[in-house]
């Protein structure tokens, strides 16, 4: 059904809510090699396949990044599930619609189960469009308060502990305020020991990406000696309850990443003591509307949150920065400088981090960075534009 722009509808809009007609949705796949490979407990990535979405509304283009990976290893979503889901189900649900706000797209996509990263890409592109239409920075539209956000880094598994220590040294010298290392059985206690003996005081955390099981509690208890800020997602991605059993046995706070799909997960995890910190990824929870709700639930329960990363290009990175301006993002996130990932980023200027380990939030309309469409066209290995039925007629 296509909503008609009639006078009743127009009168119902407040003056700040201009209608946006969703005219076309363009999907791009671009391939970009990482400056340095990134290895987690589930595998090593050298080249990213970046999935971008552009939505055209009334002469304004909103951009977003679909953070689904090259494989279904972090979560069940991946690029080749997100693309057809958007093409066949989500884009048709939005095309031709007239929305007053980006958040109105959420109920229009609710009949599709899961596929949160796919939904987030569309919703977030509409947020960018809405902010541009209102000549407002995205962070302000989201209700953000912080003008400068603290940054940490996530450092993957390396070929040797010495190489990892060199990397940590480089990031600390660059000013980053928290070091997170990836761990898995065989690359954990031995690694944390070496880091802590060299840097007894730094903010240090680790991320297991579900590499352990509950029968390894005694092993995981050894992590307590390292005074870690948190241990991220030690157990199964689809299991909150067993994290509460583990948390009872650990002094180190558990932070959930993969397990938190939406606000109900967050509320339940907090209620049963499955974590003391939550990592919010806007793609993982299905878009800015849900990400804000997760943030609010955590704030009400005094659970600190931080913004996770998915090796994003500048397009997704800019959205992570906007999200990180919300009040309860107290801890340094995984949002770091473009140059840690890319030889050349697809936004201008690139994301830079101050010597104090912060990103200064930009004030331009939308996400605040210029999307380099020319470069994206050049790098695109696949591009598909989807239009509404009525628009296709002429
Ligand atoms: O678990 O946080 C994670 C990257 C890809 C998939 C999952 C994760 C990560 C990171 C990297 O830790 C964060 C970043 O630097 O973007
Ligand atoms: Mg993680």
């Amino acid at each position: 059904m296509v909503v008609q722009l009639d006078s009743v509808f127009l009168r119902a809009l407040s003056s700040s809510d201009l209608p946006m007609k969703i005219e076309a949705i363009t999907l791009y796949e671009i391939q970009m090699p990482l400056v340095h490979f990134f290895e987690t407990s589930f595998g090593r990535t050298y080249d990213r396949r970046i999935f971008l979405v552009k939505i055209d509304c009334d002469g304004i283009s909103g951009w977003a990044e679909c953070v689904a990976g090259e494989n279904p290893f972090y979560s069940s979503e991946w690029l080749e599930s997100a693309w057809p889901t958007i093409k066949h189900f989500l884009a048709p649900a939005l095309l031709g619609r007239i929305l007053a706000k980006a958040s109105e797209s959420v109920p229009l996509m609710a009949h599709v189960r899961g596929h949160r990263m796919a939904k987030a890409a569309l919703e977030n592109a509409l947020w960018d469009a809405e902010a541009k239409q209102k000549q407002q920075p995205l962070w302000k539209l989201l209700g953000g308060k912080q003008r400068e956000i603290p940054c940490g880094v996530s450092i993957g598994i390396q070929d040797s502990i010495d190489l990892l220590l060199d990397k940590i040294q480089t990031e600390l010298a660059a000013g980053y305020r928290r070091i997170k290392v990836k761990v898995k059985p065989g690359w954990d206690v031995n690694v944390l020991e070496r880091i802590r003996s060299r840097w007894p005081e730094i903010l240090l955390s680790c991320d297991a990406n579900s590499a352990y099981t509950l029968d390894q509690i005694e092993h995981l208890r050894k992590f307590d000696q390292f005074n870690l800020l948190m241990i991220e997602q030690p157990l199964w991605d689809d299991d909150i309850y067993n994290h509460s059993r583990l948390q009872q046995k650990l002094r180190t706070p558990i932070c959930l990443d993969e397990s938190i799909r939406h606000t109900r997960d967050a509320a339940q995890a907090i209620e049963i003591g499955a974590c003391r910190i939550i990592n919010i990824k806007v793609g993982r929870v299905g878009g800015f509307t849900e990400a804000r709700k997760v943030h609010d639930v955590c704030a009400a329960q005094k659970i600190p949150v931080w913004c996770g990363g998915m090796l994003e290009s500048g397009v997704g990175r800019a959205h992570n920065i906007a999200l990180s301006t919300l009040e309860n993002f107290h801890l340094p996130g995984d949002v770091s400088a473009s140059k840690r990932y890319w030889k050349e980023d697809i936004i201008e200027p690139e994301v830079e981090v101050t010597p104090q380990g912060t990103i200064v939030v930009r004030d331009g309309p939308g996400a605040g960075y210029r999307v380099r469409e020319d470069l994206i066209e050049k790098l695109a290995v696949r591009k598909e534009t989807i239009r509404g039925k009525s628009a296709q007629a002429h």
Side-chain angles (χ1 to χ4, degrees), residues 48 63-65 67 120 124 138-139 142 146 149-151 279-285 287-288 291 306-326 329 331 333-336 341 347 351 359 361 367 369:
R48 290 287 347 265
W63 285 87
E65 181 165 341
V67 299
N124 296 353
L138 176 59
W139 66 268
L142 288 168
Q146 312 188 61
I149 61 164
C151 305
N279 162 341
I280 301 183
K281 288 179 180 167
V282 61
R284 195 193 65 227
V285 302
F288 280 129
W306 53 278
C307 184
M310 293 289 284
L311 310 175
E312 288 92 345
S313 77
V315 172
R317 199 164 295 281
H319 284 202
N320 289 344
I321 294 168
L323 182 67
S324 304
T325 65
L326 298 181
F329 281 85
L331 297 170
D334 277 349
V335 186
S336 54
Y341 306 83
I347 55 165
V351 173
I359 292 173
V361 180
Y369 295 83

Side-chain angles (χ1 to χ4, degrees), residues 101-335:
K101 289 176 185 305
S103 58
E104 291 176 2
S105 66
V106 176
L108 298 177
M109 298 190 282
H111 59 295
V112 171
R113 300 255 164 98
H115 295 282
R116 294 183 180 83
M117 293 174 182
K119 290 175 181 174
L122 295 174
E123 190 202 330
N124 296 353
L126 289 169
W127 276 93
D128 183 45
E130 181 185 343
K132 283 174 180 159
Q133 191 191 42
K134 291 178 176 165
Q135 290 284 304
Q136 258 191 53
L138 176 59
W139 66 268
K140 236 182 208 169
L141 191 63
L142 288 168
K145 295 278 186 300
Q146 312 188 61
R147 305 305 321 280
E148 200 169 341
I149 61 164
C151 305
V153 286
S154 173
I155 307 181
I157 294 166
Q158 306 297 319
D159 287 333
S160 72
I161 300 180
D162 286 330
L163 283 170
L164 175 67
L165 298 180
D166 288 348
K167 286 215 162 293
I168 294 173
Q169 175 61 52
T170 304
E171 305 300 8
L172 290 172
Y176 287 101
R177 296 185 177 193
R178 185 226 59 203
I179 301 292
K180 156 174 146 186
V181 294
K182 293 290 185 176
V183 289
K184 64 175 184 182
W187 179 274
D188 51 17
V189 173
N190 50 339
V191 173
L192 296 170
E193 235 157 30
R194 293 278 305 278
I195 300 172
R196 265 301 179 229
S197 64
R198 182 148 161 202
W199 295 284
E201 305 289 343
I202 57 167
L203 272 189
L204 178 65
S205 69
C206 70
D207 186 356
N209 290 107
S210 304
Y212 300 93
T213 55
L214 202 57
D215 55 16
Q216 290 167 302
I217 281 193
E218 283 316 309
H219 178 66
L220 290 167
R221 282 169 72 118
K222 295 184 191 153
F223 289 38
D224 276 344
Q225 65 188 293
F226 302 115
N227 188 27
L228 301 176
L229 182 61
M230 67 192 99
I231 173 169
E232 191 178 337
Q233 197 69 38
L235 307 177
W236 304 274
D237 66 295
D238 60 353
D239 192 325
I240 293 174
Y241 175 70
N242 278 310
H243 281 98
S244 75
R245 293 178 58 181
L246 176 61
Q247 182 68 90
Q248 282 169 19
K249 299 274 169 49
L250 288 185
R251 240 183 322 123
T252 307
I254 290 176
C255 169
L256 289 179
D257 173 355
E258 284 90 326
S259 292
I260 305 297
R261 300 162 300 172
H262 42 56
T263 315
R264 283 174 292 111
D265 277 344
Q268 289 166 17
I270 295 166
E271 188 177 318
I272 66 169
C275 62
R276 298 190 193 133
I277 298 174
I278 285 178
N279 162 341
I280 301 183
K281 288 179 180 167
V282 61
R284 195 193 65 227
V285 302
F288 280 129
T289 301
E290 193 67 19
R292 282 202 307 197
K293 286 187 191 160
V294 174
H295 164 275
D296 293 351
V297 160
C298 293
Q301 302 292 328
K302 307 234 171 342
I303 294 290
V305 300
W306 53 278
C307 184
M310 293 289 284
L311 310 175
E312 288 92 345
S313 77
V315 172
R317 199 164 295 281
H319 284 202
N320 289 344
I321 294 168
L323 182 67
S324 304
T325 65
L326 298 181
E327 251 165 333
N328 191 36
F329 281 85
H330 293 307
L331 297 170
D334 277 349
V335 186

